[in-house]
Amino acid sequence: PSARFASTAGPGTEGPQRRVVVVRITSPFAWLRTRFYYLLIRLYFDQEFSIEEFTRGAKQAFSVVSKLLSQRKLDLLEELVSPEVLQVLKEKISLLPDSHRDALAADIDAIMYTTEGDVRIYYDDDGRKFVSILMCFWYLNGANLPDEVPGEAKVFQIVFGDENTKEKKHLLTANYEFQREFTEGAKPDWTITRIEHPRLLE
């Protein structure tokens, strides 16, 4: 397996800077499988499809949607998120404490690592063609969360600066699934059909 990582320097620090490194071990079989699906997408659905370009767009969409969720501006998500997911979000967001809601927001510059997860190509009963790509994001957020957030895994904490200027950040994860219909005549838009913020939005 190969290791992939991204890093950033702590904000507002002088002298030696602390760095955050996110490391993920990628299965070579999973990597080959996703590349095979990207080849199929280019051959049979969209000759100009680029996972690099898609990833850039997915990061921007994730940042925008996560901030709107944090601000409870769900009415602005109707063009971006599927109606089924939006209905579930409305119920969950109303029950979240302020600290958890603040932790949903991800500035695009605070996204430390982005990787694609599962890729699916499928047809529905009416013969319509769809592609869905699950994107996984790791991002820094300074919300006032407790040291231990309920759940199976611990939320990592990173401290920037010295004792007088230290700033605590949480390294959080989110999974967003993007779906597009490739049936002839369908709108060329990607819609978010799954949103997960583990230990925050459950």
Side-chain angles (χ1 to χ4, degrees):
S2 59
R4 302 173 61 189
F5 65 90
S7 64
T8 186
T13 58
E14 298 179 356
Q17 294 180 324
R18 296 170 186 255
R19 301 183 71 83
V20 178
V21 177
V22 178
V23 179
R24 182 177 185 271
I25 305 301
T26 304
S27 162
F29 300 105
W31 186 88
L32 287 173
R33 179 177 180 274
T34 56
R35 266 54 195 175
F36 174 69
Y37 273 103
Y38 298 149
L39 176 60
L40 292 180
I41 294 172
R42 286 193 295 271
L43 287 176
Y44 297 105
F45 297 93
D46 182 359
Q47 295 180 354
E48 299 181 356
F49 176 81
S50 164
I51 186 56
E52 292 78 17
E53 182 178 343
F54 174 85
T55 299
R56 286 193 292 271
K59 287 177 64 175
Q60 293 175 348
F62 164 58
S63 180
V64 170
V65 170
S66 67
K67 289 179 181 179
L68 291 176
L69 285 176
S70 178
Q71 297 165 5
R72 292 183 177 177
K73 296 180 179 179
L74 302 184
D75 55 321
L76 300 180
L77 296 176
E78 292 182 358
E79 299 297 321
L80 302 172
V81 179
S82 70
E84 297 80 8
V85 172
L86 191 56
Q87 181 58 42
V88 173
L89 289 173
K90 289 179 179 179
E91 298 173 0
K92 291 184 176 182
I93 290 293
S94 64
L95 302 176
L96 285 185
D98 290 344
S99 59
H100 282 55
R101 198 174 66 252
D102 292 342
L104 297 177
D107 289 327
I108 195 163
D109 292 336
I111 301 175
M112 304 299 299
Y113 182 70
T114 304
T115 186
E116 62 272 14
D118 192 29
V119 181
R120 294 188 298 143
I121 298 174
Y122 59 96
Y123 296 78
D124 68 7
D125 294 337
D126 296 323
R128 296 186 301 167
K129 300 179 291 186
F130 295 89
V131 171
S132 67
I133 302 176
L134 179 66
M135 298 298 294
C136 307
F137 305 95
W138 293 66
Y139 65 101
L140 289 175
N141 182 285
N144 186 26
L145 293 173
D147 291 344
E148 292 288 345
V149 177
E152 296 181 358
K154 179 178 175 61
V155 174
F156 294 96
Q157 295 181 17
I158 299 94
V159 177
F160 297 111
D162 56 28
E163 288 300 317
N164 296 322
T165 61
K166 67 181 180 180
E167 178 183 8
K168 184 170 70 173
K169 296 277 188 177
H170 295 276
L171 181 59
L172 304 171
T173 63
N175 304 312
Y176 280 48
E177 183 181 66
F178 296 82
Q179 181 191 87
R180 177 180 167 184
E181 181 178 354
F182 281 90
T183 310
E184 185 176 355
K187 293 182 179 180
D189 299 328
W190 290 91
T191 301
I192 298 173
T193 55
R194 175 177 165 191
I195 292 179
E196 296 175 344
H197 284 260
R199 301 175 300 280
L200 296 174
L201 188 62
E202 295 182 339

XYZ file of all heavy atoms in Angstrom, residues 50-107:
454
model
N -12.447 14.604 -15.760
C -11.133 14.624 -15.116
C -11.335 14.544 -13.616
O -12.048 15.379 -13.041
C -10.385 15.904 -15.483
O -9.297 16.131 -14.605
N -10.728 13.563 -12.958
C -10.904 13.431 -11.512
C -10.263 14.614 -10.788
O -10.740 15.045 -9.734
C -10.322 12.094 -10.989
C -10.657 11.918 -9.504
C -8.845 11.995 -11.256
C -12.131 11.976 -9.170
N -9.213 15.190 -11.363
C -8.584 16.355 -10.743
C -9.536 17.545 -10.752
O -9.692 18.235 -9.733
C -7.280 16.707 -11.470
C -6.156 15.695 -11.302
C -6.346 14.468 -12.184
O -7.140 14.537 -13.145
O -5.705 13.445 -11.897
N -10.163 17.784 -11.898
C -11.123 18.881 -11.983
C -12.351 18.612 -11.114
O -12.859 19.514 -10.442
C -11.548 19.089 -13.434
C -12.505 20.246 -13.632
C -12.871 20.449 -15.094
O -12.161 19.915 -15.973
O -13.879 21.146 -15.358
N -12.819 17.359 -11.112
C -13.963 17.005 -10.278
C -13.637 17.239 -8.803
O -14.464 17.757 -8.047
C -14.343 15.539 -10.499
C -15.418 15.061 -9.574
C -16.761 15.263 -9.879
C -15.104 14.424 -8.382
C -17.761 14.837 -9.020
C -16.097 13.994 -7.511
C -17.415 14.199 -7.839
N -12.443 16.842 -8.371
C -12.044 17.013 -6.973
C -12.021 18.475 -6.567
O -12.449 18.842 -5.468
C -10.661 16.365 -6.726
O -10.739 14.963 -7.015
C -10.223 16.557 -5.281
N -11.512 19.346 -7.455
C -11.513 20.785 -7.149
C -12.942 21.299 -6.960
O -13.229 22.060 -6.029
C -10.808 21.556 -8.267
C -9.300 21.418 -8.269
C -8.657 22.447 -9.187
N -8.972 22.191 -10.587
C -8.243 21.416 -11.388
N -7.152 20.818 -10.909
N -8.581 21.254 -12.651
N -13.839 20.879 -7.847
C -15.231 21.297 -7.709
C -15.886 20.732 -6.468
O -16.681 21.407 -5.807
N -15.554 19.472 -6.129
C -16.126 18.835 -4.943
C -15.675 19.555 -3.670
O -16.462 19.737 -2.737
C -15.729 17.365 -4.891
N -14.424 19.973 -3.612
C -13.923 20.711 -2.450
C -14.676 22.026 -2.271
O -15.050 22.396 -1.155
C -12.421 20.978 -2.590
C -11.546 19.761 -2.387
C -10.084 20.089 -2.616
C -9.550 21.084 -1.622
N -8.087 21.311 -1.788
N -14.876 22.739 -3.372
C -15.608 24.003 -3.294
C -17.047 23.774 -2.842
O -17.569 24.513 -1.996
C -15.579 24.690 -4.658
C -14.195 25.163 -5.082
C -14.183 25.734 -6.491
O -15.141 25.592 -7.240
N -13.090 26.377 -6.861
N -17.678 22.737 -3.400
C -19.057 22.430 -3.019
C -19.137 22.041 -1.544
O -20.051 22.461 -0.824
C -19.612 21.307 -3.894
N -18.195 21.230 -1.088
C -18.168 20.811 0.313
C -18.037 22.016 1.232
O -18.745 22.128 2.247
C -17.007 19.839 0.542
C -16.646 19.632 1.981
C -17.581 19.159 2.889
C -15.371 19.922 2.438
C -17.259 18.965 4.231
C -15.031 19.738 3.766
C -15.970 19.261 4.662
N -17.140 22.943 0.896
C -16.953 24.126 1.731
C -18.231 24.955 1.789
O -18.661 25.382 2.870
C -15.788 24.963 1.189
O -15.601 26.117 1.978
N -18.858 25.197 0.641
C -20.078 26.000 0.591
C -21.208 25.339 1.364
O -21.882 25.966 2.199
C -20.506 26.240 -0.870
C -21.901 26.850 -0.929
C -19.505 27.151 -1.581
N -21.436 24.051 1.101
C -22.556 23.335 1.736
C -22.348 23.219 3.237
O -23.282 23.426 4.025
C -22.737 21.939 1.097
C -23.730 21.101 1.899
C -23.208 22.084 -0.349
N -21.136 22.897 3.672
C -20.881 22.741 5.107
C -21.108 24.055 5.854
O -21.620 24.070 6.979
C -19.461 22.224 5.345
O -18.491 23.186 4.959
N -20.742 25.181 5.229
C -20.972 26.482 5.873
C -22.456 26.816 5.948
O -22.932 27.342 6.961
C -20.222 27.574 5.112
C -18.714 27.514 5.276
C -18.041 28.615 4.463
C -16.541 28.557 4.592
N -15.878 29.608 3.785
N -23.190 26.507 4.882
C -24.631 26.758 4.904
C -25.323 25.880 5.945
O -26.258 26.324 6.617
C -25.226 26.514 3.517
C -24.818 27.517 2.434
C -25.381 27.113 1.082
C -25.289 28.925 2.797
N -24.865 24.651 6.091
C -25.402 23.779 7.139
C -25.138 24.379 8.516
O -26.021 24.421 9.374
C -24.769 22.392 7.053
C -25.225 21.466 5.937
C -24.410 20.179 5.962
C -26.706 21.141 6.067
N -23.919 24.841 8.713
C -23.545 25.424 9.994
C -24.387 26.653 10.317
O -24.730 26.899 11.477
C -22.060 25.793 9.975
O -21.670 26.403 11.175
N -24.741 27.415 9.277
C -25.526 28.638 9.467
C -27.033 28.396 9.417
O -27.816 29.346 9.479
C -25.133 29.644 8.372
C -23.685 30.074 8.436
C -23.219 30.763 7.158
O -24.009 31.014 6.247
N -21.935 31.062 7.074
N -27.431 27.148 9.256
C -28.842 26.760 9.156
C -29.555 27.389 7.954
O -30.767 27.591 7.983
C -29.604 27.116 10.442
C -29.192 26.311 11.659
C -30.047 26.683 12.851
N -29.715 25.878 14.019
C -30.283 26.044 15.207
N -31.217 26.975 15.373
N -29.944 25.278 16.228
N -28.832 27.687 6.915
C -29.426 28.268 5.706
C -29.772 27.143 4.725
O -29.247 27.088 3.603
C -28.476 29.281 5.086
C -28.207 30.482 5.986
C -27.264 31.476 5.331
C -27.034 32.685 6.232
N -26.088 33.663 5.611
N -30.636 26.259 5.154
C -30.935 25.065 4.375
C -31.721 25.369 3.112
O -31.682 24.586 2.159
C -31.691 24.058 5.247
C -30.966 23.610 6.528
C -31.772 22.554 7.249
C -29.582 23.083 6.207
N -32.431 26.503 3.098
C -33.198 26.842 1.904
C -32.289 27.136 0.712
O -32.718 27.034 -0.441
C -34.100 28.043 2.175
C -33.321 29.249 2.692
O -32.395 29.049 3.502
O -33.622 30.381 2.270
N -31.017 27.462 0.974
C -30.067 27.755 -0.098
C -29.415 26.495 -0.653
O -28.599 26.576 -1.582
C -28.978 28.711 0.407
C -29.467 30.077 0.906
C -28.302 30.927 1.370
C -30.241 30.800 -0.201
N -29.765 25.338 -0.090
C -29.158 24.081 -0.523
C -30.007 23.317 -1.536
O -29.590 22.260 -2.008
C -28.905 23.174 0.694
C -27.902 23.682 1.725
C -27.838 22.720 2.907
C -26.524 23.838 1.094
N -31.162 23.850 -1.868
C -32.102 23.096 -2.693
C -31.544 22.743 -4.064
O -31.903 21.719 -4.639
C -33.409 23.872 -2.834
C -34.182 23.982 -1.521
C -35.500 24.717 -1.679
O -35.788 25.174 -2.816
O -36.242 24.837 -0.682
N -30.673 23.581 -4.627
C -30.087 23.309 -5.942
C -28.845 22.440 -5.850
O -28.321 21.997 -6.876
C -29.742 24.624 -6.648
C -30.931 25.533 -6.895
C -31.952 24.905 -7.833
O -31.528 24.245 -8.799
O -33.167 25.065 -7.592
N -28.369 22.193 -4.637
C -27.112 21.470 -4.463
C -27.289 20.086 -3.870
O -26.478 19.185 -4.138
C -26.168 22.279 -3.554
C -25.818 23.696 -4.017
C -25.047 24.426 -2.934
C -25.018 23.644 -5.312
N -28.329 19.914 -3.062
C -28.529 18.677 -2.306
C -29.857 18.043 -2.713
O -30.839 18.754 -2.971
C -28.517 18.971 -0.787
C -28.744 17.707 0.015
C -27.190 19.623 -0.398
N -29.893 16.715 -2.764
C -31.121 16.026 -3.151
C -32.225 16.293 -2.128
O -31.940 16.501 -0.939
C -30.875 14.525 -3.259
O -30.661 13.951 -1.979
N -33.498 16.301 -2.558
C -34.607 16.570 -1.633
C -34.650 15.603 -0.452
O -34.966 15.998 0.682
C -35.851 16.417 -2.514
C -35.369 16.680 -3.905
C -33.979 16.133 -3.948
N -34.337 14.331 -0.692
C -34.377 13.334 0.384
C -33.344 13.647 1.461
O -33.632 13.599 2.666
C -34.125 11.932 -0.183
C -35.179 11.447 -1.164
C -35.001 12.006 -2.561
O -33.962 12.666 -2.809
O -35.892 11.787 -3.414
N -32.132 13.973 1.033
C -31.081 14.298 1.996
C -31.397 15.606 2.712
O -31.182 15.741 3.920
C -29.714 14.395 1.281
C -28.635 14.920 2.222
C -29.309 13.030 0.743
N -31.924 16.567 1.977
C -32.244 17.867 2.571
C -33.296 17.729 3.670
O -33.208 18.380 4.720
C -32.739 18.817 1.493
C -32.877 20.293 1.880
C -31.560 20.837 2.419
C -33.347 21.109 0.682
N -34.269 16.869 3.480
C -35.300 16.661 4.486
C -34.707 16.077 5.770
O -35.044 16.504 6.881
C -36.385 15.732 3.944
C -37.527 15.475 4.909
C -38.231 16.739 5.343
O -38.483 17.630 4.513
N -38.552 16.857 6.622
N -33.805 15.124 5.613
C -33.147 14.533 6.785
C -32.284 15.573 7.497
O -32.252 15.640 8.736
C -32.289 13.319 6.353
C -31.471 12.792 7.534
C -33.162 12.210 5.792
N -31.581 16.393 6.725
C -30.725 17.418 7.315
C -31.529 18.422 8.136
O -31.093 18.849 9.204
C -29.961 18.154 6.214
C -28.859 17.367 5.509
C -28.310 18.174 4.345
C -27.737 17.013 6.478
N -32.702 18.795 7.645
C -33.535 19.749 8.374
C -33.895 19.221 9.755
O -33.915 19.979 10.738
C -34.803 20.049 7.573
C -34.566 20.881 6.315
C -35.864 21.118 5.555
C -35.620 21.970 4.315
N -36.865 22.204 3.528
N -34.149 17.938 9.841
C -34.495 17.342 11.127
C -33.279 17.268 12.053
O -33.377 17.545 13.249
C -35.066 15.946 10.904
C -36.355 15.942 10.076
C -36.812 14.547 9.717
O -36.125 13.578 10.122
O -37.841 14.408 9.028
N -32.122 16.922 11.492
C -30.920 16.756 12.319
C -30.346 18.088 12.782
O -29.945 18.231 13.935
C -29.862 15.973 11.537
C -30.212 14.510 11.305
C -29.074 13.784 10.614
C -29.374 12.306 10.470
N -28.256 11.566 9.829
N -30.292 19.055 11.874
C -29.687 20.347 12.199
C -30.425 21.031 13.350
O -29.817 21.677 14.214
C -29.673 21.265 10.964
C -28.675 20.745 9.922
C -29.328 22.699 11.346
C -27.241 20.827 10.355
N -31.732 20.890 13.379
C -32.524 21.552 14.419
C -32.210 21.016 15.814
O -32.486 21.682 16.811
C -34.016 21.385 14.121
O -34.395 20.017 14.166
N -31.638 19.829 15.900
C -31.361 19.195 17.190
C -29.908 19.356 17.637
O -29.570 18.976 18.749
C -31.693 17.699 17.110
C -33.138 17.340 16.734
C -33.287 15.831 16.590
C -34.112 17.879 17.777
N -29.063 19.932 16.779
C -27.640 20.015 17.098
C -27.334 21.122 18.097
O -27.884 22.221 17.996
C -26.822 20.270 15.833
C -26.607 19.131 14.844
C -25.670 19.584 13.738
C -26.063 17.897 15.527
N -26.430 20.881 19.040
C -25.941 21.979 19.886
C -25.096 22.932 19.051
O -24.579 22.562 17.984
C -25.100 21.252 20.942
C -24.712 19.953 20.309
C -25.851 19.568 19.404
N -24.930 24.155 19.521
C -24.203 25.167 18.749
C -22.777 24.726 18.427
O -22.278 24.981 17.325
C -24.161 26.489 19.516
C -25.530 27.156 19.572
O -26.413 26.762 18.780
O -25.717 28.056 20.418
N -22.108 24.074 19.367
C -20.716 23.676 19.146
C -20.602 22.679 18.000
O -19.690 22.758 17.171
C -20.122 23.069 20.419
O -20.874 21.929 20.837
N -21.532 21.732 17.919
C -21.512 20.752 16.850
C -21.843 21.405 15.509
O -21.257 21.062 14.470
C -22.499 19.628 17.134
C -21.997 18.629 18.130
N -21.565 19.001 19.376
C -21.855 17.282 18.053
C -21.184 17.914 20.038
N -21.330 16.871 19.261
N -22.783 22.339 15.535
C -23.150 23.019 14.298
C -21.985 23.876 13.788
O -21.707 23.905 12.591
C -24.389 23.887 14.516
C -25.082 24.262 13.207
C -26.388 24.989 13.424
N -26.199 26.293 14.033
C -26.522 26.594 15.277
N -27.086 25.679 16.047
N -26.312 27.799 15.768
N -21.283 24.544 14.686
C -20.119 25.330 14.285
C -19.035 24.448 13.672
O -18.323 24.869 12.756
C -19.534 26.075 15.495
C -20.455 27.170 16.012
O -21.363 27.588 15.262
O -20.280 27.595 17.172
N -18.934 23.227 14.173
C -17.876 22.317 13.713
C -18.141 21.760 12.318
O -17.248 21.168 11.707
C -17.718 21.164 14.703
N -19.339 21.966 11.787
C -19.641 21.466 10.441
C -18.955 22.297 9.365
O -18.654 21.787 8.283
C -21.158 21.501 10.198
C -22.043 20.626 11.088
C -23.508 20.860 10.740
C -21.690 19.155 10.917
N -18.706 23.569 9.648
C -18.199 24.495 8.637
C -16.738 24.215 8.302
O -15.898 24.076 9.198
C -18.358 25.932 9.125
N -16.439 24.169 7.004
C -15.075 23.924 6.544
C -14.659 25.009 5.557
O -15.178 25.074 4.443
C -14.982 22.552 5.883
N -13.743 25.867 5.972
C -13.146 26.816 5.033
C -12.332 26.030 4.019
O -11.663 25.046 4.379
C -12.243 27.806 5.763
C -13.037 28.794 6.604
O -14.160 29.136 6.192
O -12.531 29.201 7.670
